[in-house]
Each structure stands twice: as C-alpha cells, then as structure tokens.
Amino acid sequence: MGEQYRARHGEPTEVRGGATSRIAGRRAARRRTIRAAGVLVALAVAVATAVPAVRDAIGEEGAAPAGPEDPEPGSSSPAGAPGDVSSPPAEGGAPEPSGAPEPEPGQGAPHTDAAVGAEESPPGEEETGSSGRPDLAEWLSEWFPGLAPEQEEGQDQEQNEEQEPEPDAGPSGGPASSPSPPDDPAPAGPGSGPGGADCEVSRILEPTCGVWWGASPWQNDPAPLEEAAGRPMDIVYTWHGVDQTNIPNKRERRLAAEGRFIHANIEARAFERSGRPDLDYRDIIAGEYDDALTAQARGIADLGSPMFVTFDHEADAQKRYNRRGTPEEFVGAWRHIVDLYRRNGADNAVFVWNVTGWPGNLDRLPSLWPGNDHVDWISWEAYNMTGCELQPGWDHVASFEEAMAPAYRWIQNEGPKHGIDPGKPVMIGEMGTVPIADDPRATAQWYADIPEALRGYERVRAVKLWDGTTAPTCDFRVLKDEHALRGFAKAGRDPYVNIPDPAREAIADAVKRARRARAEHSGQN
C-alpha cells in the first residue's frame, strides 16, 4: 500500500515541530487578540442567558428542522447510541431530521428562503469582518501565505449561490479482499500531540501531529463561532446538490483563501429544481449529471488547495438507505463521481465516505463501501440528545467518546473482513450535544473532554461540530448556551486539536508548487 499511496499522493510533507518564523509570531499575537474577543463574547452570552427578555430576543432566530432522526421502528438503542440518525442539510443552514418530511418550497421556519450556504449574510448582519469583529480574513490569510486568489471584479458583491446540508459495484456481501496496511505516513500514536514532535501532513491532509478542528456553522458563517471560540475553524462543512455547477462557489473560495479547508457534501438531490427532489443513483451512473459533475471537478481543480468531498453523506440513514437506489447503486454512483473528478483534473479532491456511525446501522456498511481506491477518509458522527423532543426515549447522557467508539471499533475489527482498510484516517463529520438540563456544567464538560478522548483513538484525525438546531429542545448551537460555548472554547485550545503552524506553512508551500507546475504545464500546451 505504501507504493500505491506514494503513486497517488506523493511523499508526505515533513515539518519539524521546532521551526519558528516571524509569521508564527504574528499569528500568536493575533490569536491572543481573538481569544480576548472570545472572552467578551462568552460574557455577553452569559448575560443573555441570565436575562429572559434578552434570551427570548436571541432565540427569535429560526432554522428548518435539522439533525438526528428517530430510530427505525422496532429498533433498540444502547446507551449512547440510537439505532439510526441522520442530519442531511436543509434550508436555513442546518440539516433536517431524516425521519421528518422536508418543508415545501417557500414554507418552513425562518430563513428557509435562503439556500444552505447561500451567498448572503444572516439578516441584520454584515459580511464577515465588517460588523465589529476582529479582522479574521487578514489573520487567517497568514495561515496559508500566498494562497489568496486574485480579486475578481465584483467579488465584494457575491451572488446568491445555493448549497445544502462503479465501474464495478461492490463489495456487497461477497468475499472481501485482504485489507491493505495503513497509508503512509503512519500517524502518531495515542496521546501524542503536536508540541515539539516531527509533524507530517500528507496530500490527503492526514496529519500525524493531532486533529483538525472544524464545523458546519450556523447560517454558514464561521466567523461568530470562531470569534467566540478564540480560534479559526480548520474545516468548514458546506452543502450542494449533484446538479450544481458552481462548486466551489465564491463564499467557499473566500473561506479557502483565508486558510480554511472546505468539506463539500454533494447531495443526490436536484438543488436547481423547486423542492430539491431526490435523484436516483442509477441516473447518476448513467451520466445524466456528468456535465454538472465535470464543472464541479474543474472548479475544484482550479481552487488549487486540497478540498474534502463527500457524496450523499449518511447513506446508511433511514432517509437514504434503499430510498435513492440500492446500496450497490450508491456504490456505483460514488465510484462514477470519483472517476469523473479524477479524469477532469481534481487531483486535490480528498474523498470522505460518511455514514451515521450508529450501532443499529453498522450491518449496512459493507454493502455501501465504495472500495479503498475510491475513498481517502472514513467518517461518521457523534451526538448526545438528552432531553431532545425528537428522541423521547433518550434519557441518558452519552459522552463524545461513547457516541464515537462503536463505529471506530467496528471499522478496526470488522472492517477488514469486508475489504475496508482500517488504516484510513477518520473524520468525525458531525458532533455535538444539546444542553443537558439537569446539569448545565455537564454540557461544558461534554465538549471539554473531547481532546483527551481523541488521544485514545489514533486513526481519528479530524472533528467537526454541527452547529445547528432541529427543534426547541434539540438545539446544538454552542453560541446559544454559555456552558456549551465555554466547553467548546476550552476544547479548541487544547494542543491536540491545534495543528502547528509549520505544518500549515508546508501545505501552503506544496499548494504553491502545484500551482506553478500546473501553470507551466498549461503554458507548454
């Protein structure tokens, strides 16, 4: 597998943890500024929580239903893991419950007229960096020196652009092939962090020195979350339809230019049609959306920097499994898209296979696996929904580790029997807890415990918060709860979820070299 890895991804970028620079010094100073701002925001949230009138005003914001769905009829859920959950994207910047009907066009909660990821600011709020917040664009651009593209004419007037939340099908129950050893480079062992150690980041963005920290931000704007948490998000989760052509769009390009990685979910839905109906996998395999997919691939290739891509996340969820096609057709559609992207130059696309990770769904995974050659990362989710009205039987508290661990163990122990390489890096694609009413401090601790839990699961190399709401008692937004914000901010300061600056600089250097090579190649042709 080592030779195959190098053939596709090249040698890993090696960075010595002790490297220093003037840029690193400036970053540290700016981090202190942002963290100070974060303290003020946390105090403001505390005041808002204490004053009912203010809290009610803050709570006037709305979103379409989102987040986890009810377990399937007849299924039982062990503590910490319901039988089935799904949070596909919906209008309003947040996924909707898989078990609930989608709102009709023009209906639903506030903000449903704005597409997920639409290129407009939340009501009453200026664009990022223009509403009294620290200049995150200036600071974050230092994380990837030289990556910002040339200013496009009219770029300050971004258009509204909609986003959401197999050559051979298999394997699907047949004999599994022998798993390959982990991709080079081998990650650091449990408990190792970035401080002082050699750090490598591969071209599929797998770090050996900690974990990327990201979010699917409320109303698609990471700036308020970053300001409150006192740090930038490494990854921003965005949502699209398979029929859309403008991927990455201007907002995503700006976020990438500022130093964040984009993770785009390409949903098997027609976002360009009223109601965004589901699409059949067999139509994707037949090439009906190849023009749009080709445009996506070329847009991603033009971005230059690495970009995470998922096709139809949570394919094991009740809302998707055997709904848009058979598992074999899902595999065929996945492989079709990956092959098409690669043929059209999107070598910087990093493919992330995402499932719910709930124990009741694990037996579905073998038939949904597209194959090691068509997947770079494996992803699932980790939620706690104590007291959430959409989960009336959830009367326990599941820690982040308890929610994450079942799928991890399954991939490591059962995955090889089905041809799934357990050495692939893992991304916790969505995570979060609703406020724990009986013990508010437990809400803070839920988040604060995440970095230490991650140290015991060495294949996990990325984690993203799902910052949305599904119902009044199912609100995962950390800025709406002072305890959640305090715990999330504390977790984000842990060295294990802060990839060192030299590693980021090395990625930027690699991207610039790739751009020069591509420009030279274009000039020769």
Side-chain angles (χ1 to χ4, degrees):
M1 188 66 178
E3 292 181 359
Q4 294 176 357
Y5 177 93
R6 291 182 176 88
R8 273 203 59 205
H9 306 297
E11 294 294 336
T13 300
E14 183 172 345
V15 182
R16 300 298 172 186
T20 59
S21 66
R22 290 191 298 274
I23 292 176
R26 293 199 300 272
R27 290 195 190 101
R30 291 184 185 274
R31 282 197 190 93
R32 289 192 292 270
T33 302
I34 299 298
R35 285 171 180 162
V39 172
L40 296 177
V41 173
L43 290 174
V45 172
V47 172
T49 303
V51 182
V54 176
R55 188 183 186 107
D56 291 342
I58 292 176
E60 289 175 359
E61 290 180 336
E69 67 176 338
D70 294 333
E72 295 187 29
S75 66
S76 59
S77 304
D84 194 354
V85 70
S86 175
S87 50
E91 292 77 8
E96 71 226 357
S98 294
E102 297 178 19
E104 294 297 322
Q107 299 180 355
H111 308 312
T112 54
D113 57 332
V116 173
E119 295 301 302
E120 58 185 35
S121 300
E125 186 171 305
E126 299 286 339
E127 277 291 324
T128 302
S130 60
S131 57
R133 295 193 285 262
D135 190 355
L136 288 170
E138 177 186 351
W139 174 48
L140 288 166
S141 65
E142 292 182 0
W143 286 50
F144 285 84
L147 275 186
E150 294 183 3
Q151 182 85 3
E152 298 181 18
E153 184 176 355
Q155 187 171 351
D156 57 337
Q157 298 178 350
E158 297 178 348
Q159 300 175 350
N160 290 340
E161 297 168 339
E162 293 189 337
Q163 296 179 348
E164 202 58 352
E166 49 258 347
D168 297 311
S172 57
S177 59
S178 298
S180 302
D183 286 349
D184 297 334
S192 61
D198 292 349
C199 181
E200 295 179 343
V201 179
S202 74
R203 288 185 63 187
I204 59 168
L205 298 181
E206 178 186 357
T208 65
C209 53
V211 172
W212 300 115
W213 192 247
S216 177
W218 174 246
Q219 295 184 329
N220 315 295
D221 182 4
L225 182 63
E226 291 174 330
E227 179 183 327
R231 59 158 294 163
M233 297 297 105
D234 298 322
I235 306 172
V236 176
Y237 209 1
T238 63
W239 311 89
H240 292 277
V242 75
D243 62 332
Q244 292 184 297
T245 59
N246 195 15
I247 301 173
N249 61 27
K250 288 184 178 179
R251 178 185 290 267
E252 290 166 323
R253 289 179 181 275
R254 186 182 71 241
L255 293 173
E258 292 170 350
R260 308 169 185 89
F261 295 120
I262 302 302
H263 182 184
N265 176 56
I266 311 299
E267 192 82 358
R269 293 171 65 188
F271 274 42
E272 300 295 341
R273 291 162 53 187
S274 176
R276 299 181 178 179
D278 287 356
L279 300 176
D280 291 337
Y281 295 144
R282 61 175 176 270
D283 291 338
I284 297 173
I285 299 170
E288 290 192 19
Y289 300 94
D290 279 7
D291 289 347
L293 292 168
T294 298
Q296 294 174 17
R298 292 174 178 172
I300 292 171
D302 180 67
L303 180 67
S305 58
M307 180 169 165
F308 294 108
V309 177
T310 292
F311 168 64
D312 225 22
H313 83 315
E314 300 178 344
D316 63 321
Q318 181 178 353
K319 188 172 183 177
R320 289 175 178 77
Y321 189 74
N322 271 325
R323 300 294 180 91
R324 298 171 180 178
T326 65
E328 291 78 12
E329 288 171 334
F330 167 80
V331 170
W334 178 288
R335 293 171 67 93
H336 179 84
I337 291 172
V338 172
D339 290 340
L340 185 149
Y341 270 39
R342 289 173 177 170
R343 288 196 304 270
N344 285 277
D347 296 328
N348 55 325
V350 178
F351 295 99
V352 182
W353 180 70
N354 172 266
V355 294
T356 66
W358 300 108
N361 293 349
L362 294 178
D363 61 354
R364 298 174 175 177
L365 303 191
S367 63
L368 295 168
W369 178 244
N372 292 320
D373 290 342
H374 287 74
V375 174
D376 295 312
W377 288 61
I378 297 173
S379 174
W380 61 87
E381 293 145 14
Y383 282 110
N384 175 62
M385 290 170 277
T386 310
C388 169
E389 61 198 74
L390 301 179
Q391 295 285 347
W394 196 306
D395 56 3
H396 57 279
V397 176
S399 69
F400 170 82
E401 182 175 6
E402 289 169 340
M404 172 190 66
Y408 189 95
R409 289 193 295 266
W410 189 94
I411 292 293
Q412 293 299 310
N413 299 327
E414 301 298 321
K417 301 175 185 178
H418 305 283
I420 301 175
D421 181 359
K424 287 188 179 292
V426 168
M427 176 186 295
I428 304 304
E430 299 173 23
M431 63 86 177
T433 182
V434 297
I436 302 171
D438 294 339
D439 186 1
R441 288 176 296 182
T443 305
Q445 199 62 42
W446 195 95
Y447 288 105
D449 287 344
I450 291 175
E452 188 58 33
L454 290 171
R455 288 178 167 90
Y457 297 82
E458 58 96 7
R459 297 313 303 137
V460 180
R461 292 297 164 186
V463 174
K464 302 196 309 294
L465 171 75
W466 185 73
D467 194 42
T469 182
T470 65
T473 58
C474 310
D475 196 337
F476 296 85
R477 294 172 293 174
V478 299
L479 294 183
K480 292 298 183 181
D481 185 271
E482 61 174 312
H483 305 285
L485 174 58
R486 184 169 66 249
F488 183 74
K490 180 178 180 181
R493 292 191 295 269
D494 191 288
Y496 197 66
V497 297
N498 284 271
I499 304 298
D501 291 338
R504 300 173 184 276
E505 293 167 5
I507 296 172
D509 290 341
V511 169
K512 286 189 286 186
R513 288 195 300 271
R515 283 182 173 175
R516 285 196 299 268
R518 188 166 60 251
E520 293 172 0
H521 179 74
S522 299
Q524 293 172 358
N525 295 334

